[in-house]
Amino acid sequence: MKFLPIFLDSKAGPILLIGAGDPVRARLRLLLAAGARVRWHATDGDFAVAGLDAVAASRIERLETNPGAADLGAIVAVFCAGAGEIGVTVAARARASGLPVNVMDDPAHSSFIVPAIVDRGDVVVAVGTGGASPVVARRVRERIEALLPARIGDLAALIGRWRKAVHARIPDMPLRRRFWERVVDGPIGASVLAGRSDEAEDSLQAIADPSAYAGASAPGTVEGRVTLVGAGPGDPDLLTIKALRALQDADIVFYDELVSPEILDRARRDAVRIPVGRRVGKPGIGQDAINRLLIDAAKSGQRAVRLKGGDPFIFGRGGEEIEALREAGVACSVIPGITAGLGAAAESELPLTFRHEALRVTFLTAHKARDASSVDWSALTDRKMTVVVYMGTTAANAIRDGLLAAGRSPETPVGVFARATRPDAKSVVGTLDHLPALVREIDGGPAILVIGDVVSHSAPWRNASPTPLFHTFQMAAE
Ligand code: SAH
């Protein structure tokens, strides 16, 4: 470590900034964002800065005197643009006064350097490479950005507000630390991160005995929770950042049959993994049993994740699970996922809506011919509506017959997208009258049917020439 990271109190006194141009303006914005007062010598006399609010602008003191002779009295730190003699002169004067100085792009004359910063309010992460490579620092910062919840700063701020009061009520330091760990890791922290700070504040307020709350082993004090997480259609890179965080945080993961092993691999290494989905030819354990497992896990104090293919609320029975959890008094939340229909559409460059051509989208399930016969096909004949069918492969005949009988054209473009976003994805495009034959082409696996003129814009359709009545297209596996 060549440089010691420390955090400067930006309100301890004015900061001197010398220089002109965009890099100096960027530095000025950073200083103002940190709440600093800035004495600025714009060496080209141009003090214009676009887009500052009045409060920030009022913290700038504009100086037009000789910057080399700038008054250093009361200054707490000095920033100087590097070009020319001025950097050397200012650095020497600052050092003589014992002031920290940074000369941009000139480590030799700087006594400190500015890190790449992840800013989450009260939580700030500084990334440095000892001045070796700002690009590497930025890449590291991007990774941390992706990892840190947006509201982690709110959580720190909440704890900051309560620190004194809790200190007074739990004088014992280890117990106090345990208390805050439970706040951060438990439902109160989760509420803050979900944007419900008021609720978190109320929960803190409601803790009658903080010492008992801190003692996790005391009966009845352990609070687990269930997070319904959308796993997306298969490609692990399509997990949301929130989903990834929930997986990394989970003690136990209940997953269904659509969740790929690559996604499961993203869970915390020591998390317990329990399959609860249907298997081919086997019925699965049933919804009531799943609900029971989730409730029991939460009540025993575990952070449970219910990992579901696609999005939990699109034909995923997430609604039923949330209701059961709510009824049982279990804390729960939902993280959306990319539903299979959207995954398939993006992968095949198939716009589900299209100006003037497709103005509506319907997501439909047609699990069995029986379900398909209960669909009101007459509501789906609008040529400007795209129909996305889930669980539709076994009912392909009934879907085609229903749509044709209701008056949709047999020439309507359709696509069958199997195992979308997975390495073995396969799509077949053609026309509605051939739908059952198209479905037979895909060799099983979960598949989405898309019915509507927009299919003719898709990559598989474009790659079929001249016009596909019946065409198979194997997605290139990476
Ligand atoms: N909640 C899920 C859907 C569950 S229903 C979601 O939002 O995607 C199961 C159906 O989803 C399957 O029968 C199939 O129609 C569709 N499906 C799921 N994953 C798929 C994938 N990778 N490719 C194509 N279809 C998929």
Side-chain angles (χ1 to χ4, degrees):
M1 187 162 62
K2 277 199 275 182
F3 289 81
L4 175 71
I6 52 171
F7 290 90
L8 182 73
D9 179 358
S10 54
K11 296 178 192 68
I15 289 175
L16 182 64
L17 175 67
I18 296 169
D22 287 341
V24 170
R25 283 189 177 75
R27 187 61 33 96
L28 176 70
R29 284 178 197 284
L30 174 70
L31 296 173
L32 293 173
R37 278 187 295 130
V38 184
R39 284 193 194 155
W40 182 22
H41 284 267
T43 38
D44 62 355
D46 178 4
F47 288 96
V49 189
L52 286 186
D53 64 49
V55 178
S58 72
R59 293 204 307 268
I60 306 174
E61 193 185 331
R62 294 167 169 83
L63 299 175
E64 302 193 53
T65 49
N66 171 17
D71 176 15
L72 299 182
I75 293 286
V76 294
V78 179
F79 290 86
C80 186
E85 259 315 291
I86 186 75
V88 181
T89 312
V90 169
R93 287 195 57 220
R95 280 171 189 264
S97 308
L99 280 176
V101 58
N102 172 264
V103 183
M104 275 178 174
D105 297 325
D106 186 358
H109 289 96
S110 299
S111 64
F112 72 95
I113 54 177
V114 183
I117 292 169
V118 181
D119 179 7
R120 293 282 194 281
D122 283 7
V123 174
V124 173
V125 182
V127 179
T129 56
S133 171
V135 173
V136 170
R138 274 206 297 278
R139 290 292 174 271
V140 174
R141 184 193 64 190
E142 282 159 17
R143 292 195 186 179
I144 296 173
E145 285 277 8
L147 220 70
L148 278 189
R151 299 191 180 95
I152 191 83
D154 295 353
L155 186 54
L158 174 88
I159 292 172
R161 283 196 296 278
W162 281 80
R163 246 181 106 128
K164 261 193 166 161
V166 172
H167 198 296
R169 294 184 66 188
I170 317 180
D172 179 58
M173 211 276 269
L175 198 60
R176 202 164 60 238
R177 189 175 58 220
R178 180 79 195 116
F179 175 87
W180 285 124
E181 279 169 1
R182 300 214 51 224
V183 167
V184 170
D185 297 335
I188 296 179
S191 295
V192 177
L193 299 186
R196 300 194 297 260
S197 283
D198 289 354
E199 197 180 298
E201 197 96 33
D202 291 348
S203 306
L204 267 177
Q205 190 86 49
I207 296 172
D209 183 352
S211 301
Y213 185 84
S217 55
T221 59
V222 185
E223 285 161 90
R225 57 180 299 108
V226 176
T227 311
L228 262 58
V229 177
D235 177 354
D237 284 352
L238 289 177
L239 281 168
T240 64
I241 292 166
K242 261 194 163 177
L244 206 56
R245 261 186 228 129
L247 280 173
Q248 295 279 313
D249 199 39
D251 301 312
I252 186 163
V253 179
F254 298 96
Y255 63 98
D256 65 28
E257 76 284 358
L258 283 172
V259 174
S260 65
E262 295 78 18
I263 287 179
L264 217 49
D265 275 352
R266 309 271 168 124
R268 210 176 77 200
R269 203 176 295 274
D270 58 344
V272 178
R273 296 155 166 81
I274 301 191
V276 293
R278 285 179 293 275
R279 287 275 170 279
V280 184
K282 290 191 190 157
I285 64 167
Q287 194 59 53
D288 287 345
I290 295 176
N291 294 351
R292 192 73 261 147
L293 282 173
L294 297 176
I295 292 166
D296 289 350
K299 292 213 159 160
S300 69
Q302 301 188 78
R303 279 166 297 190
V305 157
R306 171 72 175 107
L307 189 60
K308 302 167 85 70
D311 180 86
F313 283 171
I314 300 282
F315 308 126
R317 305 192 72 172
E320 290 159 67
E321 289 173 5
I322 283 287
E323 278 184 6
L325 293 165
R326 222 183 281 134
E327 223 161 85
V330 167
C332 52
S333 53
V334 184
I335 297 174
I338 293 178
T339 189
L342 298 187
E347 182 175 59
S348 300
E349 297 168 27
L350 191 170
L352 294 177
T353 65
F354 206 98
R355 225 162 108 81
H356 306 311
E357 218 175 279
L359 310 180
R360 272 174 286 282
V361 185
T362 293
F363 285 8
L364 185 80
T365 171
H367 187 26
K368 296 193 178 98
R370 183 163 39 83
D371 295 346
S373 64
S374 67
V375 174
D376 178 8
W377 298 105
S378 69
L380 304 170
T381 54
D382 176 3
R383 196 169 166 181
K384 294 190 171 168
M385 178 195 290
T386 306
V387 181
V388 180
V389 187
Y390 288 69
M391 296 178 266
T393 50
T394 52
N397 276 310
I399 294 167
R400 178 199 53 190
D401 296 348
L403 282 170
L404 291 182
R408 200 132 186 184
S409 162
E411 300 296 314
T412 305
V414 299
V416 183
F417 303 96
R419 305 175 294 278
T421 80
R422 301 184 187 180
D424 58 346
K426 184 172 180 180
S427 35
V428 192
V429 292
T431 51
L432 179 57
D433 49 348
H434 288 105
L435 182 61
L438 296 173
V439 163
R440 281 194 295 275
E441 279 288 293
I442 51 146
D443 315 321
I448 284 286
L449 318 180
V450 182
I451 301 161
D453 289 350
V454 285
V455 173
S456 66
H457 295 286
S458 68
W461 190 284
R462 277 186 281 110
N463 292 338
S465 59
T467 303
L469 285 177
F470 189 98
H471 178 75
T472 304
F473 176 76
Q474 182 83 46
M475 297 300 296
E478 274 180 61

